[in-house]
Amino acid sequence: MFTFSFHSGKIYFVIEMLLAEMIFLYPVQKRKYFPLRLLLLTAGIVLVAAFFPRMNGVTGIWQAVYQSAIHLILFALTIGGMALCFRMKPIPLVSMCSTGYAVQHLSYKAGTLLAQTSFPALFPAEVLSRSRTCELVMILVCYLVIFFTFGRYSAKYECYKNSDKNLLSLTFIILFVCTVITRFLSSSGSSVSDSIYAITCCLLVLYLQILMHKMEFLFREKQVIQQLRQSEKKQYAISRKTMDMINTKYHDLKHILAVGGVTPEMKSQIEKDVNGYQMFLHTGNEVLDTILAEKLLLCHDQGIRMTFMGNGKDLSFLKTMDLYSLFGNATENAIEAASKLEEEEKKTIGISVEKRGGMCVVSFVNYFKGDLRTEEDDLLTIKEYENGYHGYGMKSMKLIAEKYKGDLSYTAKNELFTLNIYLMEAVQTEG
C-alpha cells in the first residue's frame, strides 16, 4: 500500500515553508552555530520530504486526508528545526511558524491562479513545468511583499515575544485553512475558486494575527508607562519630603543669622548654606519648584546651568503627577545631553512657560552632540534607560500632552535641540 519514491513537490514545500518562517523569525536571537544548525535542519527535513512514503490506490477524500497529514508532519518538523535554531518560547514559536505557513499557502495558491492565465506560455517547460514556474514567480513576489509589510511590522512590534495563549487558537485556524479546507476543495471543486478562497482566508488570518500582536504590544507598552508613572510618584514623594527638609533648614539658618551670637566661622558656613539655597528656582508653583530643585542639584554637580522663564502658576491646571512626569522626563533628557558636551558655554538648559490664549506652551532648549535616534518617527533621545525602558519617557510626555488635548514637537538644528509641549488650559482630566 505504501511505496517510497522521490517527491520533488514536497522538497519545494519544505524549502518554501522554511523561507516563509524566516520572514517572521529573522529578528529573533539565534542560537550558537546558527548557520550550521540551519543548514543541517534544512538538509534533514528535505531528505525526509524527498522520500516520504506514498500511499497507493487511494483517491478522493482519503487522498486529501493523507496529503493533509503529510503537510502537517512536515510543518511540525520545521517547527522543531526552528526551535533548535532560535531562542524562543513555544507559543510565539508555533505562532510565527504558522504565520509562515499561511504565507506559503497564500503564495502557492497565487501561483495556481497565475497558471490559469497565459503567463506560463512565456516560459519553456523543458527545465521546470509551467505550473512550477508560476509557483516560484509568485513565491518570490509574495515573499518580498510580505517581508516588507507583515514581516517588518511583526519585527517592529516584537511579535516573537508574545506568549498569549489566544494565539494558539488562531494557529489552529491557519492550519485548518491551509491543510484541510482548501485541500478538500481542491479535490472536488474549481482550482480558481479554491485559490481565491485560500488567498482570502490566509490574508484574513495574517491580518488578525498581526492585529492581536499589536494589541498585546500596546498593552505591554501601557504597562511599562504605568510602572514608570508609579516610580515617578514614589520619587516625587521623596523629593517633596527632601524639599520640605531643605526649606525648614533654610528658615532655621536665617533665624540663626538674625539672632546672632555665632562665631565668624559658623556665620561664614551658614551664609554659604543660605546662598546655596538661593540657587533654587521659585516659579510660583510648589510642585514645579520641587521638581526643578531636584534637577538643579544634578545640574550643579555636572556644571550645567539651568534657567527658567515664565510663571509656574500658569501650569496650575496640570495634575501633580502629570506635571512631575513632564518636567522630570524633559529635564532628565536635557541634562543627559548637556552632560556629554565639552564646551562649558553650551552646558545650559533653558526652560520657558508661555500662555497663548487658552493654550500653555512649555519649551525646553539645550545643546546636544551626535545624532538623535528615532524609530518609526518616534524620538528615542540619547538617554539610556534601564530595564528596557529606553524611549518611554518621550512616549509618556506625548501621552500627557494628548491627555490635555495638546501635542508635542521638537526640532534639532545646529546641535540645538528644542522641545515644545502644547497643553490646553481649559481641559478637565480624570484620574
Side-chain angles (χ1 to χ4, degrees):
M1 188 175 183
F2 290 96
T3 59
F4 292 89
S5 58
F6 184 76
H7 290 274
S8 62
K10 298 297 184 293
I11 295 176
Y12 282 108
F13 170 77
V14 167
I15 295 176
E16 291 169 7
M17 179 67 70
L18 292 173
L19 290 174
E21 292 170 353
M22 289 295 293
I23 291 176
F24 301 95
L25 296 178
Y26 77 92
V28 180
Q29 182 183 3
K30 280 77 174 175
R31 296 187 183 273
K32 193 175 182 180
Y33 307 117
F34 171 77
L36 179 60
R37 287 172 180 263
L38 185 61
L39 179 63
L40 290 177
L41 91 88
T42 302
I45 299 176
V46 165
L47 188 62
V48 172
F51 297 98
F52 208 92
R54 186 190 299 272
M55 180 179 286
N56 299 319
V58 177
T59 58
I61 293 179
W62 290 110
Q63 179 66 20
V65 170
Y66 178 68
Q67 290 298 323
S68 297
I70 291 177
H71 286 81
L72 284 175
I73 292 172
L74 294 177
F75 171 62
L77 289 176
T78 65
I79 295 178
M82 290 304 179
L84 296 175
C85 293
F86 296 94
R87 299 184 183 276
M88 289 185 70
K89 294 180 180 179
I91 291 179
L93 175 64
V94 173
S95 176
M96 292 293 94
C97 288
S98 66
T99 306
Y101 199 163
V103 172
Q104 185 277 333
H105 194 65
L106 181 155
S107 305
Y108 172 76
K109 288 300 181 180
T112 302
L113 274 182
L114 185 63
Q116 305 299 316
T117 68
S118 59
F119 180 80
L122 301 176
F123 298 90
E126 287 78 11
V127 180
L128 289 174
S129 66
R130 290 174 177 173
S131 61
R132 187 69 70 188
T133 300
C134 291
E135 177 184 344
L136 295 179
V137 168
M138 292 311 300
I139 287 288
L140 176 62
V141 173
C142 291
Y143 280 25
L144 285 175
V145 172
I146 294 294
F147 174 78
F148 287 107
T149 53
F150 289 103
R152 297 291 294 274
Y153 196 82
S154 174
K156 175 187 175 183
Y157 288 101
E158 299 180 335
C159 299
Y160 51 88
K161 293 183 180 180
N162 190 354
S163 296
D164 187 354
K165 293 182 180 179
N166 291 325
L167 289 170
L168 291 178
S169 60
L170 193 57
T171 296
F172 290 129
I173 293 174
I174 292 174
L175 297 180
F176 188 69
V177 169
C178 294
T179 64
V180 180
I181 293 182
T182 55
R183 194 162 299 281
F184 277 89
L185 286 175
S186 298
S187 64
S188 59
S190 167
S191 61
V192 174
S193 59
D194 158 47
S195 298
I196 294 175
Y197 178 79
I199 291 171
T200 303
C201 289
C202 289
L203 285 174
L204 179 60
V205 294
L206 276 174
Y207 174 75
L208 288 175
Q209 192 162 35
I210 293 298
L211 185 61
M212 287 179 66
H213 282 299
K214 182 179 179 181
M215 291 175 63
E216 174 64 19
F217 176 84
L218 294 176
F219 176 75
R220 285 189 282 116
E221 187 176 75
K222 181 180 178 180
Q223 284 186 317
V224 170
I225 292 177
Q226 287 177 341
Q227 290 173 7
L228 287 174
R229 296 299 296 275
Q230 288 297 320
S231 298
E232 290 168 354
K233 189 174 182 178
K234 293 178 181 178
Q235 181 60 39
Y236 174 72
I238 295 172
S239 301
R240 181 68 264 173
K241 186 175 181 179
T242 303
M243 193 64 187
D244 290 340
M245 293 173 61
I246 292 173
N247 286 330
T248 301
K249 181 179 179 181
Y250 169 71
H251 290 294
D252 290 344
L253 292 176
K254 285 187 66 177
H255 178 71
I256 292 173
L257 286 176
V259 172
V262 296
T263 64
E265 292 79 7
M266 291 178 61
K267 182 178 180 181
S268 176
Q269 182 60 44
I270 291 173
E271 288 177 344
K272 182 179 179 180
D273 291 339
V274 171
N275 290 334
Y277 178 86
Q278 300 298 330
M279 76 173 183
F280 294 138
L281 298 172
H282 303 281
T283 65
N285 185 307
E286 186 178 358
V287 176
L288 186 56
D289 290 347
T290 301
I291 302 168
L292 296 182
E294 177 187 1
K295 305 309 176 186
L296 274 168
L297 291 173
L298 293 175
C299 290
H300 180 72
D301 292 340
Q302 300 187 49
I304 300 171
R305 296 178 300 279
M306 181 184 288
T307 61
F308 177 87
M309 292 183 61
N311 190 343
K313 292 181 180 180
D314 293 339
L315 298 171
S316 59
F317 66 96
L318 287 173
K319 293 186 177 297
T320 298
M321 291 316 304
D322 292 336
L323 180 59
Y324 184 83
S325 184
L326 274 178
F327 275 79
N329 282 302
T331 52
E332 283 177 10
N333 290 336
I335 291 171
E336 182 73 14
S339 66
K340 298 180 182 296
L341 301 174
E342 297 178 357
E343 302 93 332
E344 293 295 326
E345 66 276 9
K346 289 187 176 181
K347 300 179 76 170
T348 62
I349 299 172
I351 305 173
S352 65
V353 176
E354 179 185 0
K355 291 187 68 173
R356 299 179 186 173
M359 178 170 284
C360 189
V361 182
V362 185
S363 299
F364 299 84
V365 182
N366 63 272
Y367 288 94
F368 71 97
K369 187 176 183 179
D371 297 325
L372 295 178
R373 295 174 58 188
T374 59
E375 182 179 284
E376 300 293 335
D377 297 328
D378 291 332
L379 180 66
L380 296 182
T381 75
I382 62 174
K383 183 178 177 184
E384 295 299 330
Y385 286 85
E386 297 179 355
N387 301 322
Y389 288 170
H390 183 51
Y392 281 96
M394 290 296 295
K395 292 180 181 179
S396 177
M397 287 188 287
K398 187 173 180 63
L399 287 174
I400 293 173
E402 292 173 350
K403 177 180 177 181
Y404 290 87
K405 306 301 180 183
D407 200 1
L408 179 151
S409 67
Y410 65 89
T411 58
K413 187 176 182 181
N414 298 327
E415 296 188 338
L416 187 66
F417 180 82
T418 303
L419 173 68
N420 294 314
I421 303 173
Y422 304 92
L423 306 163
M424 290 298 294
E425 187 175 359
V427 173
Q428 299 294 322
T429 62
E430 298 180 357

